[in-house]
Amino acid sequence: MTRRIKIKVRPQQTVSFPGICVHCSQPAPETMTLRQRYGRITRIIDVPLCSRCAGELNRRSAEEERLQKISWLLAGVLGLLALAIALLLTPAALSFGLRLLIALLAAGALAAGVLWSFRKPMANAALPEKQAIRQSVAIEGFSWRTTTFAFENDLFADKFVELNAPRLMEI
């Protein structure tokens, strides 16, 4: 069951987390970075993880590896193709350095777009354990003075509430 907890925290303030894993409640020497973006603002917060869960986050399924290799190959091929086409289509009156810069920008943009488009399918192809760890905590929303977390682990949520009792707000 997901527990939502809203606390008062401004950007650049630290959030206190218990020293246990957000997923399995074991001692947590490592961290997992949460990112939530609204418009041009991104909130980045590190939450504690145990060594086993951190190792699971670094493991990839065969499908993830396959998609990653395909994305890199496709990005490289399309990037080189865009580089060649852009060099051919830019006016010869421009200096070669400027033509090369325009071609490199076009190739880089296309390659970045290809890599970005493979991000979601790779996340969906992750191992079930990895997906469970990622879903154990989330930043549901934030503003200039509050952040709302969603925790799957009730023990972790209870300890988080104890640590941040003065900052708690109603949802």
Side-chain angles (χ1 to χ4, degrees):
M1 169 130 182
T2 302
R3 279 188 56 192
R4 287 167 178 63
I5 300 169
K6 187 174 186 177
I7 63 169
K8 290 179 190 176
V9 61
R10 293 177 185 248
Q12 309 305 321
Q13 275 187 326
T14 59
V15 179
S16 299
F17 288 102
I20 60 174
C21 179
V22 72
H23 179 66
C24 66
S25 301
Q26 297 297 317
E30 312 225 7
T31 61
M32 172 176 68
T33 302
L34 298 178
R35 285 181 179 82
Q36 181 67 35
R37 185 176 179 99
Y38 286 129
R40 295 184 310 170
I41 301 169
T42 302
R43 178 75 39 105
I44 300 172
I45 297 175
D46 291 329
V47 295
L49 273 185
C50 67
S51 299
R52 187 186 65 77
C53 290
E56 286 293 327
L57 279 180
N58 292 329
R59 283 184 51 211
R60 288 199 174 104
S61 67
E63 182 67 12
E64 261 184 301
E65 286 189 17
R66 186 181 74 78
L67 286 171
Q68 184 182 33
K69 289 176 184 176
I70 289 171
S71 71
W72 282 102
L73 177 66
L74 198 58
V77 168
L78 290 177
L80 286 174
L81 188 63
L83 180 72
I85 290 172
L87 277 175
L88 290 173
L89 294 180
T90 51
L94 296 175
S95 69
F96 180 74
L98 184 58
R99 290 176 54 210
L100 182 62
L101 178 65
I102 293 169
L104 285 173
L105 288 173
L110 185 61
V114 167
L115 293 175
W116 184 80
S117 69
F118 272 83
R119 192 177 52 138
K120 186 75 168 171
M122 284 175 58
N124 291 339
L127 296 168
E129 299 87 12
K130 187 175 186 176
Q131 289 179 357
I133 293 168
R134 285 185 184 156
Q135 293 169 356
S136 62
V137 62
I139 299 173
E140 282 204 339
F142 66 90
S143 67
W144 63 275
R145 68 180 193 116
T146 66
T147 301
T148 304
F149 292 97
F151 296 107
E152 293 292 327
N153 183 341
D154 287 330
L155 177 63
F156 187 88
D158 291 338
K159 291 192 180 232
F160 181 77
V161 167
E162 287 175 22
L163 280 174
N164 295 288
R167 295 178 161 180
L168 289 179
M169 297 180 71
E170 287 190 28
I171 295 179

